[in-house]
Amino acid sequence: MSAGWLSRIDAVEPKVHAFLHVDRSATGSGAGALAGMTVAIKDLIHVEGMPTTAGSKILEGFMPPFSATVVERLRAAGAVLVGKTNLDEFGMGSSCENSAYGPTMNPYDLKRTPGGSSGGSAAAVAAGMCEAALGTDTGGSIRLPAAFCNLVGLRPTYGRVSRWGSVAFASSLDQIGPMARTVDVCERVFHVIAGPDDRDATSARVPPPARTDVGLKGLRIGLPREYFGEGLAPEVERAVRAAATWYEGQGAKLVEVSLPHTNAALATYYLLAPSEASSNLARYDGVRFGRRADGVKGLRDMYERTRSEGFGAEVKRRIMLGTFALSAGYYDAYYVKAQKVRTLVRRDFDAALSKADVLLTPVSPTPAFELGAVKSPMALYLMDVFTIPSALAGLPGLALPGGFTDAGLPIGLQLTGRPFAEGELFSVARSYERAHPWHERTPALESS
Ligand code: GLN
């Protein structure tokens, strides 16, 4: 068993670079809900005995003194925790190119990005190096890489999964969730990690959901008008519309809905997430965690040099944007205004999800792009235009395989549901997967 996953890692990891740390002696247990299942952990989540880098130089050498709640739960369920996966630094990015430890390659096309920020987790599963992985999703970081790598990935309802022991990026948005090749495996991991945790003040007092089967007959599937406009690649649009037509053929009702604040959501996120990040990342001061610059002259010089040497360009950009948005004189105009728009975004979803039971949309406007091809930060931010709004609203979102482009790149579908409706999302996804086993098309890594 264990020899299997290790030899797979030895064979394909040099091509993919999904891992920042592999625990070659990892074992699981023979009993438990996930007995013997190999699971990789995004390196933003603490696993005792393995370093946490968050993809940043600033945490180089940091060993967490404890494991995250989700990790304890996986261990207790018998999972084999194979290692820590690559990511955009502190989760800030959509391509894994913002990792201080070099990018991860998409197993379906090694010249392309696996998506981000949980790109290492996605690539590890897609390349067959483990059965499942944990990612984190602040504005799309589970769903985007799942879509780019032909996987099922769930962003749970805000509060559904404990974040105790994960490195904070934007605390009002961050969620941990599972990624796997199939709906079934993704759901099994979700059941193990979900549920209340006294150590996370934002953890919802809601028991983990039972597995449900919702029929497709009469199910109202909402198609938000704003998600099918300019910028959406024709092949992605075709796949989403084909899925909608398939559901309709199974007896579901398609309803057009509107999410009018979709465009404002992106700007809102890029005020709120950097604001929260600027506050959360203040703790990396060279004193308490990780690395400190050498040969410093005094305290101020130590802070300045540690932080300028330790953080990458995108993280610095976010810290500066966030600090600006929170500063006296600008706070009302930016941060408070963004909070108000967030309420409008949430209301859009309340209205749409009263007309529809679930929403069906693309995950991203395009399939995986070539590494190095998208240079402007704004163009990268736009990759999350369909995943950020529901994150602001705190809703669960599931990415699932929806087919391939002519060039052989995976296309993702996204289902968005009401709060705590993960069971329904899994059920609706499972029906589609049974009729469309796209997950069986695994990457041809051996020949490349
Ligand atoms: N790509 C988005 C960002 O850079 C979302 C990242 C995430 O969900 N962690 O902030």
Side-chain angles (χ1 to χ4, degrees):
M1 178 77 207
S2 57
W5 62 265
L6 259 183
S7 54
R8 181 69 184 167
I9 289 180
D10 290 340
V12 300
E13 170 63 5
K15 295 178 186 170
V16 176
H17 185 48
F19 284 94
L20 295 178
H21 176 85
V22 173
D23 181 2
R24 304 190 68 86
S25 61
T27 50
S29 90
L34 305 179
M37 183 188 286
T38 47
V39 183
I41 310 290
K42 183 180 187 177
D43 198 15
L44 206 51
I45 301 171
H46 298 323
V47 181
E48 196 177 354
M50 302 187 200
T52 298
T53 70
S56 182
K57 288 269 177 250
I58 209 154
L59 274 177
E60 214 169 31
F62 175 71
M63 286 296 280
F66 62 93
S67 287
T69 298
V70 289
V71 167
E72 287 177 354
R73 290 184 182 176
L74 289 174
R75 279 224 165 102
V80 185
L81 304 183
V82 298
K84 307 293 295 285
T85 54
N86 198 16
L87 68 158
D88 291 294
E89 188 175 0
F90 287 101
M92 299 177 192
S94 299
S95 64
C96 257
E97 292 166 290
N98 293 340
S99 169
Y101 303 96
T104 295
M105 275 53 85
N106 188 317
Y108 283 89
D109 179 344
L110 297 170
K111 293 188 305 300
R112 291 177 191 264
T113 170
S117 65
S118 313
S121 288
V125 178
M129 294 190 276
C130 52
E131 289 160 88
L134 294 188
T136 66
D137 189 308
T138 303
S141 280
I142 289 174
R143 293 163 288 164
L144 183 77
F148 282 7
C149 293
N150 198 34
L151 299 180
V152 181
L154 174 77
R155 172 195 169 86
T157 309
Y158 186 76
R160 172 67 100 175
V161 174
S162 166
R163 299 171 305 163
W164 193 76
S166 72
V167 174
F169 161 10
S171 309
S172 78
L173 292 151
D174 298 341
Q175 267 294 287
I176 296 174
M179 307 165 84
R181 283 183 54 225
T182 63
V183 175
D184 179 59
V185 174
C186 190
E187 187 168 16
R188 285 169 58 204
V189 175
F190 169 66
H191 277 144
V192 165
I193 62 172
D197 177 18
D198 288 339
R199 293 177 293 194
D200 176 353
T202 63
S203 162
R205 313 271 98 208
V206 181
R211 183 174 154 140
T212 47
D213 270 306
V214 301
L216 295 180
K217 287 233 174 340
L219 184 83
R220 296 169 307 165
I221 298 186
L223 301 171
R225 194 180 307 143
E226 293 78 5
Y227 283 43
F228 293 90
E230 196 198 332
L232 180 61
E235 284 183 295
V236 176
E237 171 156 12
R238 222 174 294 139
V240 181
R241 294 217 185 264
T245 305
W246 179 84
Y247 278 116
E248 193 177 29
Q250 303 299 303
K253 275 206 230 7
L254 302 183
V255 290
E256 198 189 63
V257 295
S258 176
L259 298 169
H261 295 93
T262 297
N263 283 338
L266 197 71
T268 303
Y269 174 91
Y270 277 101
L271 283 167
L272 295 180
S275 295
E276 294 182 26
S278 73
S279 162
N280 276 326
L281 271 56
R283 74 192 67 176
Y284 306 107
D285 55 4
V287 178
R288 287 170 294 176
F289 308 98
R291 162 184 166 130
R292 172 183 296 184
D294 296 326
V296 294
K297 298 184 204 69
L299 187 63
R300 191 188 169 113
D301 186 47
M302 192 279 285
Y303 288 149
E304 283 180 0
R305 289 204 15 229
T306 297
R307 287 170 67 84
S308 12
E309 290 167 19
F311 290 132
E314 183 61 26
V315 172
K316 286 179 189 161
R317 180 177 300 119
R318 306 272 181 119
I319 291 173
M320 288 189 278
L321 276 172
T323 304
F324 177 77
L326 291 176
S327 57
Y330 295 101
Y331 182 82
D332 289 336
Y334 292 107
Y335 186 77
V336 174
K337 185 74 142 285
Q339 290 290 16
K340 291 180 178 165
V341 179
R342 184 175 191 174
T343 302
L344 298 177
V345 171
R346 191 177 292 133
R347 287 191 193 146
D348 281 359
F349 280 96
D350 287 348
L353 286 164
S354 68
K355 295 198 185 95
D357 301 304
V358 293
L359 307 180
L360 171 65
T361 68
V363 175
S364 61
T366 69
F369 48 89
E370 287 195 8
L371 289 163
V374 182
K375 291 208 171 62
S376 110
M378 188 62 196
L380 269 176
Y381 296 172
L382 279 165
M383 286 294 149
D384 296 311
V385 66
F386 303 138
T387 51
I388 275 175
S390 59
L392 286 169
L395 301 174
L398 184 84
L400 70 150
F404 287 83
T405 65
D406 292 344
L409 300 174
I411 298 174
L413 308 175
Q414 177 172 225
L415 296 168
T416 304
R418 300 185 187 122
F420 302 103
E422 290 90 353
E424 277 177 41
L425 297 184
F426 282 124
S427 170
V428 173
R430 204 181 305 121
S431 306
Y432 175 88
E433 180 189 74
R434 270 193 211 118
H436 306 85
W438 302 115
H439 63 274
E440 288 172 5
R441 185 155 155 192
T442 53
L445 275 167
E446 288 76 5
S447 53
S448 49

